[in-house]
């Protein structure tokens, strides 16, 4: 993962858009495929992976906001 400097709201907006695109490209596509195939376990796994990717992105930006000790 590349380090990005977020100095203002605009920078954060651009980061959020790019991060969301990356998450959707991989995780949401997997969820759509699993949903199409209709296997409940595959749908659950894909949905969990999507949620984990979103959580990881939020924690990533939070970690950047917390001052290093």
């Amino acid at each position: 993962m590349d380090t990005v400097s977020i100095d203002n709201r605009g920078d954060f907006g651009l980061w959020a858009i790019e991060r969301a695109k990356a998450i959707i490209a991989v995780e949401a596509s997997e969820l759509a495929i699993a949903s199409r195939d209709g296997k409940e376990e595959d749908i659950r796994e894909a949905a969990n992976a999507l949620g984990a990717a979103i959580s990881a992105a939020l924690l990533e930006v939070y970690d950047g906001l917390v001052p290093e000790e």
Side-chain angles (χ1 to χ4, degrees):
M1 187 74 50
D2 293 333
T3 300
V4 176
S5 177
I6 297 174
D7 297 320
N8 57 53
R9 185 180 174 95
D11 290 346
F12 179 77
L14 291 174
W15 173 87
I17 289 167
E18 291 305 313
R19 195 71 174 97
K21 281 182 185 177
I23 291 169
I24 295 297
V26 177
E27 304 302 339
S29 295
E30 292 295 321
L31 179 56
I33 291 167
S35 295
R36 182 190 64 202
D37 293 343
K39 295 179 184 172
E40 191 172 322
E41 185 173 330
D42 292 343
I43 294 168
R44 185 178 8 267
E45 287 178 17
N48 286 337
L50 176 58
I54 292 168
S55 295
L58 292 171
L59 289 171
E60 177 185 328
V61 77
Y62 176 81
D63 290 343
L65 297 173
V66 177
E68 292 184 24
E69 296 178 33

